[in-house]
Amino acid sequence: RFFDSFHRHLSSPGTAILKREEPPTGSEEPGLPGNRKTFSEVQKERHEQAQRSILISCPKKVPEKRLLKHLCQHGEITNHFFFESFGIHAVIEYSKKESIASLQDSTFIPHGETEFPIPFKSRFFNINLKNPSNQISDGTLVQCSDQSSPSNVDLVEMLCNAESVEGQIITLMRILQVTEENIRLRYLTCSLIEDIAAAYFPACTVKPFGSSVNSFGKLGCDLDMFLDLDDIGKNSAAKTAGSFSMEYQVKNVSSERWATQKILSVIGECLDNFGPGCVSVQKILHARCPLVRFSHQASGFQCDLTANNRIALKSSELLYIYGTLDSRVRALAFSVRYWARQQALTSSIPGAWLTNFSLTIMVIFFLQKRSPPIIPSIDYLKNLAGAEDKCIIEGNDCTLVSNLDRIKPSLNTETLDILLCQFFEYFGNFAFNKNSINIRKGKEQNKPDSSPIYIQNPFEPTLNVSRNVNENQLERFVHLARESAWILQQEDKSQLSKSSSHPWGLAALLLPSGLNKSKAKKPGKGPTNETIRKLLESIKADSAKRSTATREK
Ligand code: CTP
Ligand code: MG
């Protein structure tokens, strides 16, 4: 099914192909100087768009035109799409917020016989056909946009059909990256949570951060969001003219951390008790960064809600800047992160392994170290900043230039296949025992403590982003990096025929690590050994099964 929809995307002109290829930054023409939006412009636009949007759970077979006509009674619809997650859902974007109020006025709270509703009027609705049998036949059924990534077997097969390793790297990124629709759904989900928090703090915002906004997001990645209460009261400061100054009576607690824990605890209760579609709510308030974890069933996102987390948003902006500056940054990061996941170097469970965030910083550092550099250091980005960009958070200078047109493009012309191989070579031989990775300076520094790997946090210099990683995991990373560099170099020498019947280039690196190990031990034997042959047979059997199943449907 994925292949069908992927080929549809590739073959049909118009919007479908754009949805897969469009970089997920929200900018119209990324890469064109003078036309790049700043990070906060993108955030603001997306936030406002989400506030004009609603989420609807629809019947299985829904006549699209009739549904839209029905919803248009409340105002003009500027955008919509359907997706599948525990049934069919629609995201509808109105041109004006007022349309939603009108729709809410004409919507009922359901009354069950045995179940009792909590009458919370949100922007998440159910829509039912009054007379299903009459209506289905006269409307076209909806097409759903993909919200999940393909299996590794499918992906390996697609990569084998590429022309070059560079082509494979770009294909991998295009297939895995979050789509335009998925980004909209992420902002809408935050906006729905914001409505719940706004019951207590009317001027609050709930902002997505991390991979949902930093341009490195993969379909299926978690949704990191934070409750921003800092904007509350900002405007009122100017209004205190005259002989008196007024302030609110507030409750005080002994630390900021405690305030955050209290607020998150209450919002967590609200999500659990009143939040439509919010399930498995867990309060993890004693973590270094207290959070509420929950599943937003309708959108399918695993959400982490934090508060008071402006530095993490700034890190997201930093990664967004690097991702926008040079197209090789995102392409390489997607390959390295996916490779690490397939080799079980990263995991969805927290533990002593590397994280996607650490790997992205390693890619950035490597690209800063090329000669000439592909991207500049953070200090360079700070020095180009204007007065309006000044930003100090909790005593840390987080200033970054927001106008990306001030940054000179790189003179480095290295191709992605060279960079991928060199990345593995570089970190396969990095002196982790004495040096730390520092993207603020773009240079390695002496390690300040004995952690196996030390990656300085971009904005909190005393923190090590990879503090959790143990010696064993670092050794595995180094070993697999060396092995991968070796595989890519061997292939380069032997000029193997690039066929879809045996994994080559990047695809060969995505095989289970046992297969790579057997190859590494027998240099010169080439990749067509018995184990790989078996794997290919199973890939082929799997595709055959899938195409039979599609035909039968
Ligand atoms: N973060 C950080 N220091 C860490 C871990 C995380 O500053 N040691 C911040 C980063 O800004 C990161 C964000 O928290 O982007 C979210 O963390 P996480 O979800 O772990 O990483 P993502 O970048 O979102 O990547 P993933 O796709 O794995 O979710
Ligand atoms: Mg994340």
Side-chain angles (χ1 to χ4, degrees):
R1 205 172 53 77
F2 178 80
F3 270 120
D4 287 351
S5 72
F6 181 71
H7 289 307
R8 217 175 38 241
H9 280 304
L10 290 184
S11 56
S12 62
T15 54
I17 192 156
L18 282 178
K19 279 169 199 162
R20 279 275 173 206
E21 295 194 349
E22 197 173 292
T25 55
S27 50
E28 303 295 322
E29 293 283 349
L32 283 188
N35 212 354
R36 292 186 289 202
K37 287 179 188 156
T38 67
F39 181 73
S40 38
E41 280 166 357
V42 175
Q43 297 306 301
K44 214 173 137 203
E45 217 170 84
R46 295 271 188 201
H47 179 251
E48 191 271 332
Q49 183 179 50
Q51 288 184 316
R52 291 184 278 107
S53 303
I54 57 169
L55 183 58
I56 310 182
S57 162
C58 307
K60 232 179 180 174
K61 293 183 171 176
V62 56
E64 181 172 356
K65 279 191 187 141
R66 277 167 173 261
L67 174 70
L68 294 175
K69 202 169 154 203
H70 178 79
L71 296 169
C72 273
Q73 294 173 71
H74 302 282
E76 187 198 357
I77 293 173
T78 42
N79 225 308
H80 77 280
F81 65 90
F82 293 88
F83 66 95
E84 231 178 318
S85 165
F86 294 95
I88 307 285
H89 289 80
V91 170
I92 308 285
E93 181 192 318
Y94 281 105
S95 67
K96 293 199 177 71
K97 257 194 224 174
E98 295 73 50
S99 305
I100 298 174
S102 157
L103 175 68
Q104 282 172 322
D105 279 347
S106 67
T107 301
F108 301 98
I109 299 276
H111 281 280
E113 305 254 300
T114 50
E115 288 179 316
F116 297 92
I118 308 273
F120 178 72
K121 292 187 171 179
S122 72
R123 280 183 286 139
F124 179 18
F125 306 91
N126 280 327
I127 198 158
N128 297 308
L129 287 164
K130 282 186 183 156
N131 193 350
S133 52
N134 285 353
Q135 299 198 26
I136 294 166
S137 52
D138 61 351
T140 340
L141 297 181
V142 296
Q143 277 214 343
C144 286
S145 96
D146 280 320
Q147 303 297 315
S148 57
S149 43
S151 71
N152 189 43
V153 170
D154 287 346
L155 194 74
V156 164
E157 195 170 319
M158 280 184 255
L159 296 187
C160 287
N161 288 321
E163 293 284 310
S164 60
V165 175
E166 175 149 51
Q168 291 184 321
I169 296 172
I170 292 169
T171 304
L172 180 114
M173 177 181 73
R174 286 189 176 159
I175 292 169
L176 294 182
Q177 71 185 358
V178 284
T179 57
E180 168 63 24
E181 283 94 347
N182 195 264
I183 296 176
R184 283 171 192 247
L185 190 54
R186 285 170 187 270
Y187 278 85
L188 174 55
T189 305
C190 289
S191 180
L192 296 175
I193 304 306
E194 182 178 288
D195 285 353
I196 295 171
Y200 286 96
F201 303 104
C204 74
T205 47
V206 171
K207 296 177 174 156
F209 70 98
S211 55
S212 300
V213 303
N214 65 18
S215 83
F216 293 86
K218 170 181 166 296
L219 280 171
C221 67
D222 69 352
L223 173 53
D224 305 292
M225 45 173 100
F226 89 101
L227 174 65
D228 193 353
L229 302 172
D230 277 12
D231 287 339
I232 297 179
K234 257 192 188 160
N235 298 337
S236 45
K239 291 180 198 148
T240 52
S243 330
F244 297 96
S245 80
M246 298 282 281
E247 59 181 27
Y248 285 98
Q249 277 275 350
V250 288
K251 285 219 174 205
N252 289 303
V253 290
S254 56
S255 72
E256 190 168 5
R257 179 176 164 84
W258 196 3
T260 303
Q261 287 170 328
K262 277 181 172 282
I263 293 167
L264 279 180
S265 173
V266 171
I267 305 294
E269 286 298 316
C270 289
L271 293 179
D272 202 12
N273 291 302
F274 314 141
C278 299
V279 298
S280 313
V281 180
Q282 263 177 290
K283 294 192 223 169
I284 309 171
L285 302 178
H286 294 290
R288 190 181 72 82
C289 183
L291 73 139
V292 175
R293 178 163 289 170
F294 63 98
S295 217
H296 194 259
Q297 221 171 16
S299 61
F301 295 134
Q302 172 74 32
C303 305
D304 277 352
L305 174 69
T306 52
N308 213 339
N309 207 355
R310 295 182 78 87
I311 289 205
L313 187 64
K314 211 61 196 175
S315 306
S316 306
E317 175 172 358
L318 177 72
L319 264 48
Y320 168 89
I321 293 176
Y322 282 129
T324 312
L325 279 185
D326 191 294
S327 63
R328 289 169 288 186
V329 184
R330 292 176 61 237
L332 196 60
F334 268 87
S335 285
V336 169
R337 289 162 58 142
Y338 192 74
W339 163 84
R341 189 73 172 90
Q342 292 316 310
Q343 300 303 339
L345 286 166
T346 55
S347 163
S348 56
I349 309 159
W353 21 86
L354 286 160
T355 62
N356 280 333
F357 185 56
S358 301
L359 287 167
T360 311
I361 297 193
M362 289 166 87
V363 168
I364 289 170
F365 183 72
F366 164 73
L367 296 175
Q368 288 174 334
K369 293 280 293 177
R370 300 307 291 165
S371 176
I374 293 184
I375 41 176
S377 66
I378 303 181
D379 276 345
Y380 178 90
L381 297 176
K382 186 179 104 181
N383 294 338
L384 284 182
E388 71 286 0
D389 296 328
K390 184 123 193 97
C391 174
I392 310 278
I393 304 171
E394 292 159 21
N396 297 298
D397 191 345
C398 303
T399 306
L400 293 173
V401 60
S402 58
N403 179 356
L404 305 188
D405 299 322
R406 289 193 197 154
I407 305 164
K408 280 198 206 114
S410 166
L411 297 173
N412 183 309
T413 55
E414 284 172 301
T415 56
L416 281 166
D417 31 3
I418 291 176
L419 290 171
L420 183 67
C421 186
Q422 289 291 307
F423 173 88
F424 291 129
E425 177 97 30
Y426 182 77
F427 282 113
N429 296 295
F430 190 82
F432 287 107
N433 56 340
K434 61 174 212 280
N435 290 335
S436 70
I437 291 166
N438 184 328
I439 61 166
R440 174 159 289 280
K441 303 260 172 267
K443 283 192 191 112
E444 52 270 59
Q445 313 256 280
N446 287 336
K447 225 166 55 165
D449 66 31
S450 60
S451 326
I453 164 170
Y454 196 103
I455 303 177
Q456 195 191 69
N457 186 300
F459 297 116
E460 292 169 281
T462 56
L463 298 182
N464 174 7
V465 170
S466 52
R467 198 184 50 158
N468 60 313
V469 179
N470 65 20
E471 197 68 58
N472 183 27
Q473 289 301 319
L474 178 65
E475 268 172 30
R476 286 195 60 230
F477 170 80
V478 169
H479 168 77
L480 287 162
R482 284 182 189 172
E483 185 178 274
S484 298
W486 185 85
I487 292 171
L488 290 174
Q489 283 157 6
Q490 292 310 302
E491 287 198 357
D492 210 28
K493 279 183 213 149
S494 67
Q495 293 294 314
L496 281 171
S497 65
K498 295 175 173 41
S499 77
S500 56
S501 61
H502 93 231
W504 56 275
L506 175 58
L509 307 186
L510 304 178
L511 302 174
S513 59
L515 298 184
N516 284 335
K517 255 183 223 137
S518 63
K519 271 195 293 181
K521 278 181 196 152
K522 296 172 196 141
K525 240 194 147 187
T528 47
N529 61 24
E530 182 64 8
T531 0
I532 293 184
R533 196 181 56 75
K534 277 192 190 143
L535 179 84
L536 281 167
E537 274 165 12
S538 81
I539 291 176
K540 277 186 201 147
D542 197 60
S543 334
K545 239 187 271 162
R546 246 182 301 109
S547 60
T548 319
T550 317
R551 274 199 303 278
E552 281 167 1
K553 261 181 205 168

